[in-house]
Every structure is written in structure tokens, then in C-alpha cells.
Amino acid sequence: MYDYEQEHLELLRSLAPGCTVLLRRNGAFPLEKPGELALYGSGARYTVKGGTGSGDVNSRSFLTIEEALEQEGFTITTKYWLDDYDLFRSAAKDAFIGEIKRRAKEKHTLAVLEGMGAVMPEPEYRIPLYGEGDTAVYVLSRISGEGNDRQAVGGDLLLTETEKWDILALNRKYPRFLLVLNVGGPVDLSPLEEVGNILILSQLGVVTGPVLADLLLGRSYPSGKLTTTWSAWGEGCNLGDFAQQDNTEYREGIYVGYRWFDSVGKEPMFPFGFGLGYTDFAIKAGEAKAEGEWITLTAAVTNTGKRPGREVVQLYASQPAGVLDKPYQVLAAFAKTGELQPGETETVSLRFSVRDLASFDDFRGAWVLEKGDYTLRLGNSSRSTDAVVILRLDKDAVLKHTVRCLGKPEFTDWAPEKLPKGKKHRFLKVLKISAASLPEQPLFEAETRVEPEAAQLSPEELAYMSVGAFSEKGGALSVIGNAAISVAGAAGETYGGLKDRGIPSLVMADGPAGLRLNKDFTVDEKGVHPIGETMPAGISDFLPGPAKWVMSKMNQKPIQGEVKHQYCTAIPIGTAIAQSWDLSLAEACGDLVGDEMRRFGIHLWLAPALNIHRDVRCGRNFEYFSEDPLISGKFAAAITRGVQKHPGRAVTIKHYAANNQETNRYFNNSRVSERALREIYLKGFEICVRESQPKTLMTSYNLLNGIHTSERQGLIERILRQEFGFTGVVMTDWIIGMLKPPKGSLYKAPRADRIAAAGNDLTMPGCADDVKAILSGLENGTVTEERLRINVSRVIRLAKELNG
């Protein structure tokens, strides 16, 4: 193992416990020392380190939970159970693959497309629960990924009958029992009310198993909090559509996640911001002050328990009732303490701009703070707060005028008839805010400068520079994000045919939880040549027989030349990172990825992804941070800072925007009001741009109110560049030029000429049809040479900067 690998593993092992969330505890854990352990559950031997598809990372090695516990000295007394489970799982997998192929045949599509991201539900089985010792751990795993959404069925979002039976039986049998959730998102735990110890381990990359061992033995402790509400299935908001084929209507408007639960007064199983540790804390509000638009509140946090730990202090704001309806409260700021020993106290500071409490007034086309009282609530979860101070705004303040440019959804957003009554607060401190101290903010000027190199390019050269570098033979690999020429397994790169004229190329790697590259490769005068499997895990299961045979023959070719290696480190999934509520942890993860980008010649990492957890069934939620835009934007910004502190390395924030389902992801139309878009689905992108200025951004596959996001000029030029102040390169998501609408689709495929005309600089990963489309667009006026020169100039500037 190389030194950097060991350093990165040690770093993650020290950080990742902060991403874990203890949902219940009864004092039985941690353990004093390793000993006999009865280990059960799908995740014991089939531990999930991250999601499927682009979420996969090819690390050198990975310890399952079973292996990690044995390595730390535990004696597993249930080998028979794990062996029997192997047999049931193998049979279920064979049946699942057969079902995918059958469905593909019925739909007249490829099994590899039908199976992308498809997850085998946990099978039903009966295996005796014999095991020695007085301690048992059941590891419940779920995996999800790109291409398919989760289902509200047993073995996915719900528990199987087997899981319910086994977990409850073990809880009654063993004096010390822990349910471990090796999951990327919520599971309905409502049948398990009597279970006293539940830990969300999550999916922590390469250190998932070792971190659990550390937590069991008290070497570390959980200190994370939920960034998504966990509720029983059917208890959450069902106002809007999900996973519709053509049009998905976001009728719930701004009432997403805890905003809905709190506004209708419904108690979820585990609320947003909730999480326990091995100890307890007391939080006492301190001084509050207002300086212009900035509000600062201090809080003293004391460890009142018997073990060390860290606490997360959360500040929520309830906005005044006015012309616009408002949720009961929104997260305004948060801070995490350092490690506190029993009896120790730390004072944290929570700071935010009152501008971030503004609402979007669609009638006025402006961001507005309505006059009245803004009540600030302090606590350690959204359902455990106390009102501590009131901000009193003397009159309405219009903060920024905009242009309504995102279309109309053809329905009216839901709003609550009235909000739950909070406690009356008679003696709270009042901080007076003057609307005059909040002047209206001007728009940014979008960069339209044309570089000298771009001014000299022919129309054909402009077309090639507007799409990714492509090989006529690379279609299949392009589909799975493996279209680069310079680095084995990288997702793609920009056109490299003009290097002799001083225009270098940019190499991009996928993987929101680390770099997705091939482990092994060779290099010769023709380029790089991957060794072994080039497709993500599981994809090859759905290939037809002839294709499998061809791939096996390719992998059997004699290896020519020196074998080189790219061992990348799988970091925790996005949801786990956000559950830490620790921005320094997120920045450290970005720093780790930036270091590996430098080592392997990657300029752009196609991450972080910061779409909203609108519905717990979204297949890619594991990549995303939260149901809350403040959390999403702050954590994306922190990761961006970590990566971009490395010269020549940058991120690509994605997927812009309203990309909240995988069902028909290429041709589904998200119908969303302008207010909901701006307050929920775009706000995180604005925060990230404002705080870290990422170098690139990726648009999403879906349509937004009838137009593909990659073709919506108002979304890109007006909002992103003029309102948010983004100065970097915009690219599409992958295989845009290869898309064909499914039979009966209401919507056509995006085209590279319309994409370029909208100010989207790069169509990725590129293909011959994209070049033809742009040249055709130049002829018929869909796109102008001037527009292409501006777009290409942004690509040239970034390529020179990152290659400098």
C-alpha cells in the first residue's frame, strides 16, 4: 500500500464516526473489549460502502463488517448463519437478473439499461438464530443508485417479514443487541419500536467496517445528526407526484421535508436534525447581536454525561405571517462543538445573514423580507428547540429584483391553512432590524469576453471545442461514464485537437464518493489501456451472452508493457458527510480527493452533487446531502474548498436543477413553481457559488417546466451567472447527444446547438452527432458564432488555468 493510501485511510477512520447517527440507546454500548459476537444481517458479509453507478469507487481493497470485526479481535459465533444466507442471496440474485432480462425483453430495450441502478430487494428466508455470547449485532443493508428509484416494498424502503422477525427475536434474546443500518437513506423502522439500540452507520466508503468496530469498542463515538426526516412509510408528505413517466408535479411547493412536518404539526419517527451520542449535553443560549444584515448568537454547550462526545447546535427561524405563506421554521445556522469531556463546556457561535431568511415573491419578481417578528429557536434538532430571541423588521425590504424565467407549472402550490401555535414568549430579547440597512443587491454581469484563441477558430473548430473529446468506438463506455482518452476509467475530457495552438484539454473523473477510475492500466503510444473490468459493478450481469464473451476475450488479451495503478479512496457518501454537520470534515474529504486528482492527472471531479432529498425514494439520494438547501449548499461549498485548494484541480457541482427522481430521468419533466425552485431547489447552488465559486457546473437530464435544463437559458445565463455570480464553465450531464426519446414520450431529446445557444458551454461526453448538430445550428441560426466563441472562451480560460 502506498503512503498516501494509508494516510487517507487513517484520516477517514478518524473522521467518519462523526457521520454516524445513534437513533436509540439504552446504555448497553459501547463494549469494554472484543469477545464473542453473534453477527447477523445482509450487511455483515455484503457490506455496502456506497451507491451504484457513478457512485462506485475502485479502491484497492475493502473490508466487510465481518472481516473488520474479526480483524479487531471479535469471534464471530454465527458463521453458519452467514453461510446459509449466502445460499439464499445467490438464488435470489439469479432470479432477479432473470426478471430484469424478462422486463427488458417486454419493453424492447436493453437489459443493461433496464438493470442500471436496479436493486435486488432483500429476499425472504428462514435461518435459525443460534449464536453464542451475550452480544448480537444485526447489520441491515440497503443499496441504491443511478438509473432506478427505490420502492416502497419489503427489502427496500420497508423491512421484509424475515428482517422484522429476526431483529425482534434477537432484541429479546440477547442482553446486548444493536441494530446497525448500513444504508444510504431512510428505512421504515416503525415495526421495531421495542429495539433499544439503533445506529445509522451509513455507507462510509473504505472505512465502513473498521469504523463500526471502533464504535462498538468505544474508541470513537457517533456524533452525527439526521439531515433528512425519517418517518414511517405513508406518514410523510404526499401532496406532489413522484416517479411519474412524463410529468412530475411538485405541488407541495416549499413544504419539503421538515418544513412540511413542522407546518402541519405532525411528529415523525426521527425528526430532521436528530441524533444521540454516548453522552448527553445541555445547551444554553448566550449573547445575540445584529450588525447590519448579520446576526450572531452564542451558545454554551456542556457535556452532562459520563463519556466524551460532540454536539451539534442548531438555530431555526420562524418568519412572520404576511402576504406570503411561510413554513413553521427554517434552518438558519448550525455549529458543531469540538470533543467535550464529561463536565466540559464550549461556547459556539452561530452567524447568518438575515437576507437568507427572505422569501421569493413571484408577483413582484423579487426576494423579499416581510416586516414583522422573526423568532429564532435554538436546540439540537428541529423538534427540540427553545425560542431565544426575536428579530423585528420595521418594514418590507426588497433585496433583489429578478426576472421570472423558469416557466409555470400549471398548478398552485399547496399552503397550510394555518401553522401550529408555538409557545408564547413574553420576555425574549428583541433585536431591531431596519429595512434601510438592507439595500437592494445589483445583478452580476455575465462574462462575455472572447479569448484571442477562440477568436481565431473556424466554425468547425468551435463545434469540436463545444463538445467533449470522443472516439467513434467509445459509445458503450460513454454511456457508463468511461469516455476519457488520457486517464484509464475517467469519465471524459474536453477536445484535445488544438494543443499545438496553446489550448490544453481537461480530464474529468466521475464518482461523488471519490474518483472512479480503473485500478490497473498500461500506457503506450496509442494512449492508456485499462486492464480488467471497465464497467461498474453489476452492469455486466445484464449484458447479453455475446457481449459478455467479447468482454471476457478483451480482458484475456496479453498485457503489453508496464502495469500502472490508480488506487483511489472511497470516501463516505454525500448523505453521510452531511450527517456530520461538520464543515471541516467535508473540507477534509474534498482535500483528500483533490490530492488524488493531482496524483492521477484529473482536472475536474464530477461532484459534489447537491440535489434535494425531496422524496426518500429517489435512487440517487445517497449522493445528495439533505432535504434542506442550507445544509446542501454549505456542504457542497466545503467540499469545493477542499478540492480547489489544490492548484489545477476543481469540482463540478451538479445536477442543476430539480433532478429528484431516476424514473425516466432523461425525459421526465419536473413541474415546479418559481418560488419553490428558488427557495428550495436552487438555493443550495447559490450558497455554494457564493461561498466557494466552483469552477464548473453540470446541468441535469430532466426537463424543467417543459424545457430541458441544459437548454434553458434563463436558468443558466440569467439565474446562475447574473444572479448567483457564477463565472465558470457549464456542462451537460453525460450521453446527451446519444439520447433518443422512448416510444410515446411527450418530449424530444436535447440537441447540442440548442444547448450551446442557452449558454451551456460543453455537451458531454461528446459524439459526432453533437458536432453535426452545432454546425447545423450555425447554418439555420439556432446558435451564433458569437455565442460559441463566448462559450469556448470560458472552456479555454479554465483549461489554461488548470493546466498552468
Side-chain angles (χ1 to χ4, degrees):
M1 183 176 288
Y2 297 122
D3 288 345
Y4 81 87
E5 292 179 87
Q6 188 62 41
E7 291 170 3
H8 290 175
L9 288 173
E10 291 173 359
L11 173 66
L12 289 179
R13 190 163 178 174
S14 69
L15 294 175
C19 305
T20 64
V21 183
L22 191 60
L23 295 180
R24 292 196 191 129
R25 70 168 197 235
N26 63 13
F29 296 90
L31 306 172
E32 292 183 1
K33 60 182 179 179
E36 289 187 331
L37 182 71
L39 183 63
Y40 303 90
S42 56
R45 191 168 282 178
Y46 297 92
T47 310
V48 180
K49 74 177 188 295
T52 66
S54 63
D56 198 18
V57 176
N58 296 317
S59 298
R60 180 192 288 263
S61 59
F62 174 67
L63 289 176
T64 67
I65 286 173
E66 178 189 18
E67 292 167 338
L69 293 178
E70 288 183 317
Q71 190 175 86
E72 293 300 324
F74 285 94
T75 300
I76 306 302
T77 65
T78 49
K79 290 289 189 179
Y80 77 93
W81 191 98
L82 298 172
D83 291 341
D84 284 354
Y85 175 77
D86 287 345
L87 300 177
F88 281 101
R89 184 183 180 93
S90 178
K93 182 177 179 181
D94 289 343
F96 176 69
I97 293 170
E99 172 62 16
I100 292 292
K101 291 180 177 180
R102 185 193 65 77
R103 283 180 359 211
K105 188 175 182 179
E106 280 186 359
K107 296 179 180 180
H108 304 288
T109 187
L110 296 174
V112 70
L113 296 179
E114 183 73 16
M116 182 179 288
V119 173
M120 180 188 78
E122 182 68 12
E124 300 279 6
Y125 51 83
R126 277 289 180 265
I127 307 173
L129 297 175
Y130 304 132
E132 297 178 13
D134 62 1
T135 303
V137 171
Y138 188 103
V139 186
L140 185 145
S141 282
R142 294 290 189 265
I143 191 168
S144 58
E146 187 173 5
N148 272 271
D149 289 311
R150 296 180 65 192
Q151 303 295 318
V153 298
D156 192 349
L157 190 61
L158 308 182
L159 300 174
T160 66
E161 293 303 312
T162 300
E163 288 170 332
K164 286 184 278 189
W165 173 274
D166 285 357
I167 291 168
L168 292 174
L170 293 169
N171 184 63
R172 295 163 187 158
K173 176 181 179 180
Y174 286 89
R176 288 182 295 200
F177 173 69
L178 176 65
L179 172 60
V180 174
L181 304 175
N182 174 217
V183 299
V187 177
D188 182 352
L189 301 178
S190 57
L192 306 179
E193 284 293 328
E194 65 188 70
V195 177
N197 295 288
I198 303 178
L199 171 73
I200 301 178
L201 178 65
S202 194
Q203 295 162 353
L204 304 174
V206 287
V207 297
T208 303
V211 166
L212 178 59
D214 291 341
L215 292 169
L216 286 175
L217 294 169
R219 296 171 184 162
S220 60
Y221 46 82
S223 64
K225 305 278 188 178
L226 294 178
T227 58
T228 287
T229 305
W230 281 46
S231 67
W233 174 246
E235 294 295 310
C237 178
N238 60 1
L239 295 165
D241 297 332
F242 178 75
Q244 298 300 303
Q245 189 68 16
D246 291 310
N247 297 304
T248 298
E249 297 189 342
Y250 291 44
R251 290 186 296 271
E252 72 281 0
I254 61 172
Y255 296 89
V256 176
Y258 73 90
R259 286 168 165 80
W260 180 81
F261 279 95
D262 293 352
S263 297
V264 300
K266 195 162 191 176
E267 190 72 32
M269 257 192 320
F270 301 107
F272 176 86
F274 175 79
L276 304 171
Y278 287 156
T279 189
D280 298 301
F281 299 92
I283 300 174
K284 183 178 181 181
E287 180 185 8
K289 60 182 180 179
E291 297 174 320
E293 68 183 78
W294 293 99
I295 310 300
T296 305
L297 176 74
T298 61
V301 184
T302 302
N303 184 344
T304 60
K306 299 179 180 180
R307 302 186 67 89
R310 300 178 69 187
E311 178 63 301
V312 177
V313 184
Q314 302 162 40
L315 187 65
Y316 296 83
S318 293
Q319 302 150 298
V323 174
L324 301 173
D325 57 283
K326 316 271 197 332
Y328 176 75
Q329 62 182 359
V330 296
L331 182 67
F334 58 91
K336 190 167 188 175
T337 69
E339 181 173 277
L340 296 178
Q341 297 297 323
E344 188 177 1
T345 298
E346 178 184 340
T347 298
V348 298
S349 179
L350 301 103
R351 186 171 185 262
F352 69 96
S353 169
V354 71
R355 290 178 181 273
D356 288 336
L357 301 182
S359 301
F360 183 75
D361 186 339
D362 190 62
F363 179 76
R364 286 190 270 189
W367 285 96
V368 177
L369 279 169
E370 294 193 289
K371 70 176 181 179
D373 288 354
Y374 292 73
T375 303
L376 301 187
R377 306 174 188 278
L378 186 72
N380 62 0
S381 84
S382 60
R383 287 301 177 94
S384 179
T385 60
D386 292 309
V388 292
V389 69
I390 290 174
L391 309 178
R392 181 163 294 159
L393 183 64
D394 59 353
K395 60 181 180 180
D396 285 4
V398 176
L399 305 182
K400 183 187 292 185
H401 274 93
T402 68
V403 172
R404 291 183 291 273
C405 57
L406 300 176
K408 293 185 177 181
E410 301 178 6
F411 57 81
T412 301
D413 285 352
W414 176 86
E417 293 183 9
K418 60 180 181 179
L419 296 176
K421 290 184 178 180
K423 297 178 183 177
K424 291 185 178 180
H425 310 289
R426 299 177 56 189
F427 302 108
L428 292 182
K429 180 177 181 178
V430 176
L431 298 177
K432 294 183 178 180
I433 310 293
S434 169
S437 68
L438 301 169
E440 184 172 345
Q441 292 178 326
L443 299 178
F444 296 92
E445 288 190 21
E447 178 66 77
T448 58
R449 176 167 45 100
V450 174
E451 295 295 318
E453 297 91 339
Q456 302 300 316
L457 297 179
S458 68
E460 186 175 37
E461 290 168 334
L462 287 170
Y464 274 97
M465 282 294 297
S466 298
V467 306
F470 60 89
S471 166
E472 297 292 350
K473 301 177 182 179
L477 293 180
S478 297
V479 171
I480 58 165
N482 187 356
I485 299 167
S486 306
V487 178
E493 56 192 84
T494 58
Y495 182 61
L498 298 174
K499 291 180 180 179
D500 59 340
R501 291 160 67 176
I503 302 177
S505 62
L506 295 166
V507 182
M508 310 170 192
D510 214 337
L515 303 179
R516 183 156 67 85
L517 303 174
N518 276 88
K519 289 182 182 180
D520 308 309
F521 65 100
T522 60
V523 182
D524 61 22
E525 66 280 357
K526 296 180 181 179
V528 295
H529 306 285
I531 298 173
E533 184 65 76
T534 58
M535 288 194 169
I539 292 291
S540 60
D541 291 334
F542 303 109
L543 290 175
K548 277 189 176 181
W549 182 83
V550 170
M551 290 194 69
S552 68
K553 291 300 181 184
M554 290 173 62
N555 293 336
Q556 292 173 12
K557 286 182 179 180
I559 297 173
Q560 303 291 331
E562 179 186 359
V563 176
K564 299 189 176 184
H565 309 286
Q566 301 173 136
Y567 296 126
C568 302
T569 305
I571 64 175
I573 59 173
T575 299
I577 290 175
Q579 284 173 178
S580 73
W581 292 65
D582 185 346
L583 296 177
S584 64
L585 180 150
E587 187 166 335
C589 288
D591 188 13
L592 182 157
V593 173
D595 177 70
E596 294 187 358
M597 292 170 70
R598 176 186 60 81
R599 292 176 185 277
F600 304 132
I602 301 298
H603 301 105
L604 295 174
W605 182 35
L606 303 179
L610 61 148
N611 294 101
I612 294 296
H613 291 176
R614 174 183 177 251
D615 191 293
V616 295
R617 291 169 290 178
C618 177
R620 296 186 82 171
N621 273 356
F622 73 93
E623 296 182 33
Y624 307 150
F625 299 117
S626 177
E627 65 189 30
D628 183 78
L630 179 68
I631 292 285
S632 299
K634 289 280 188 181
F635 275 87
I639 290 174
T640 297
R641 289 192 296 270
V643 171
Q644 293 189 172
K645 70 173 60 173
H646 295 267
R649 316 301 147 192
V651 305
T652 306
I653 60 173
K654 62 183 187 181
H655 308 88
Y656 187 72
N659 181 196
N660 302 106
Q661 71 176 54
E662 290 299 287
T663 301
N664 194 26
R665 62 180 180 157
Y666 303 122
F667 293 97
N668 185 265
N669 177 36
S670 296
R671 287 181 170 171
V672 199
S673 71
E674 188 129 358
R675 182 183 181 190
L677 279 165
R678 290 176 176 274
E679 291 191 26
I680 303 295
Y681 301 101
L682 300 182
K683 189 171 184 178
F685 288 93
E686 180 180 16
I687 292 169
C688 183
V689 169
R690 185 175 69 208
E691 295 193 358
S692 65
Q693 197 55 252
K695 301 295 184 184
T696 59
L697 172 144
M698 180 188 292
T699 53
S700 53
Y701 286 128
N702 56 281
L703 298 92
L704 178 58
N705 293 328
I707 299 175
H708 280 282
T709 61
S710 57
E711 297 180 348
R712 191 173 266 286
Q713 187 173 26
L715 186 67
I716 298 168
E717 286 292 294
R718 173 69 191 198
I719 295 179
L720 180 63
R721 297 196 185 279
Q722 295 181 36
E723 295 184 25
F724 296 175
F726 180 74
T727 61
V729 168
V730 177
M731 70 178 75
T732 69
D733 208 332
W734 257 231
I735 73 168
I736 288 293
M738 308 171 200
L739 292 177
K740 304 296 179 188
K743 187 176 180 180
S745 174
L746 296 181
Y747 302 106
K748 59 188 177 183
R751 269 176 53 111
D753 54 340
R754 296 193 299 266
I755 288 168
N760 200 324
D761 307 309
L762 281 170
T763 298
M764 294 301 296
C767 66
D769 285 345
D770 293 330
V771 174
K772 292 175 184 176
I774 291 176
L775 292 174
S776 175
L778 284 171
E779 291 181 5
N780 63 31
T782 302
V783 64
T784 65
E785 279 194 29
E786 179 185 16
R787 177 76 265 173
L788 289 181
R789 294 191 197 282
I790 292 171
N791 293 355
V792 168
S793 291
R794 286 194 280 256
V795 177
I796 290 173
R797 282 195 292 274
L798 183 61
K800 291 171 73 173
E801 176 188 350
L802 298 186
N803 281 279

